[in-house]
Amino acid sequence: MGFENKADAREMLLALKARLAGFGLMLHEDKTRLIEFGRFAALSRQRRGERRPETFALLGFTHYCGRTRDGRFIVKHKTEGKRLTHKLTAQGGPAVHPGASGHAARAVRRRAARALWLLWQAAAARPDL
């Protein structure tokens, strides 16, 4: 969920915890967190002397704040590191050494990212699964 104000996010988190508790459920503490993310996150963090905005992993991708070539805000995503490593090693050993760089490594990473993206789109097209 995304919120413009930190107070709204905290209020919703408390309300969600209370609502789930009514059904005997609870949020996973390691997977639920409030992060500063969005168009103005980098600027406000820079003013406070902090590093880049946090990232979050969702559906096999790591989402992060970025800029287009003309300077506008965009949410960028790359294949989640753990998933990429697992995918590359699950096919009979690493196709490219994890620390490798260069054209071959980029090609393998690009193919793995494309395969994950196609899987995600196929799953999104089949809501019955």
Side-chain angles (χ1 to χ4, degrees), residues 50-61:
E50 297 176 1
R51 297 189 62 173
R52 288 181 275 179
E54 293 182 65
T55 63
F56 64 94
L58 179 68
L59 298 174
F61 294 95

Side-chain angles (χ1 to χ4, degrees), residues 24-108:
L25 302 171
M26 55 189 275
L27 293 172
H28 195 289
E29 291 299 323
D30 294 339
K31 297 180 181 182
T32 306
R33 61 192 170 123
L34 294 177
I35 63 170
E36 187 175 17
F37 193 86
R39 193 165 81 178
F40 303 112
L43 183 60
S44 61
R45 289 178 68 89
Q46 185 180 18
R47 285 182 187 152
R48 292 191 307 261
E50 297 176 1
R51 297 189 62 173
R52 288 181 275 179
E54 293 182 65
T55 63
F56 64 94
L58 179 68
L59 298 174
F61 294 95
T62 299
H63 302 275
Y64 60 100
C65 297
R67 297 273 173 201
T68 61
R69 289 184 182 184
D70 60 353
R72 291 178 291 136
F73 172 78
I74 188 171
V75 176
K76 292 189 171 190
H77 36 270
K78 60 184 176 182
T79 307
E80 192 176 0
K82 288 191 294 186
R83 186 168 283 211
L84 177 63
T85 303
H86 177 72
K87 185 72 172 172
L88 293 177
T89 57
Q91 298 175 0
V96 174
H97 186 272
S101 61
H103 179 71
R106 282 191 298 276
V108 169

